[in-house]
Amino acid sequence: LGSIDDLEPFLLTVAATVKVAGTKFSGHVPALRCPKCKEVYLDGPALVRFELEVAWELARLGTRSGEAVRFMRKAIGLTARALAALLGVAPETVSRWETGQRTVDTPTFAVLGRLVGDKIVGSRETTDLLEAQLAPSKEKHVRLVLKPA
């Protein structure tokens, strides 16, 4: 195998665009060109990251359309049923949001945005908080360990 320098002529970035809820998002995604067939292969993890960044921008912009909700849900890798369970709503409610039959309320959309943000940084904080609300702990004593500021 050669070094990364040998691959440099085959490393490139390609323009990526997606239109969601009337807004066009664009950026560049790393790719690799096969030296033999010249086929271009997108970097899968980078493409996933691009979609997460689009989902984050949808949340940041307050784009509460059904199309935006569906895009955000898929970007974080949840089924409609799993999202419904996390939010404590019926799966039909998620379906109604995504089809535009019902508008998602602002607090719920903000929580969905936090789920996207957590996914970007590799955290489960919001998911853990939501799960705790669905199955509260019966602990009677919790010991806290404070870290210096």
Side-chain angles (χ1 to χ4, degrees):
L1 269 176
S3 71
I4 191 72
D5 294 333
D6 296 334
L7 291 175
E8 218 166 294
F10 309 109
L11 297 174
L12 60 145
T13 60
V14 296
T17 61
V18 64
K19 189 172 181 178
V20 182
T23 303
K24 181 179 176 182
F25 299 89
S26 60
H28 286 85
V29 178
L32 184 65
R33 177 178 287 130
C34 175
K36 293 182 182 172
C37 71
K38 306 300 184 210
E39 186 76 28
V40 175
Y41 299 95
L42 297 177
D43 178 0
L47 194 54
V48 167
R49 176 63 184 229
F50 175 77
E51 290 181 348
L52 281 169
E53 292 293 341
V54 168
W56 175 249
E57 285 302 310
L58 289 166
R60 195 183 66 73
L61 295 169
T63 309
R64 293 189 302 141
S65 72
E67 186 180 356
V69 170
R70 182 182 304 112
F71 188 92
M72 293 167 70
R73 174 184 59 77
K74 288 184 174 186
I76 59 177
L78 288 178
T79 64
R81 185 173 298 280
L83 179 60
L86 260 183
L87 297 174
V89 300
E92 295 80 15
T93 301
V94 173
S95 175
R96 288 182 186 112
W97 291 335
E98 292 185 356
T99 60
Q101 296 172 13
R102 193 173 189 190
T103 302
V104 64
D105 61 275
T106 302
T108 301
F109 189 76
V111 169
L112 180 57
R114 284 303 333 144
L115 289 168
V116 171
D118 284 357
K119 187 78 169 187
I120 288 172
V121 298
S123 172
R124 283 189 42 92
E125 284 184 25
T126 306
T127 300
D128 291 345
L129 285 172
L130 290 169
E131 288 174 348
Q133 303 314 303
L134 297 171
S137 172
K138 303 284 191 261
E139 293 294 325
K140 297 295 182 200
H141 181 176
V142 176
R143 181 181 168 94
L144 303 175
V145 179
L146 303 178
K147 297 178 185 176

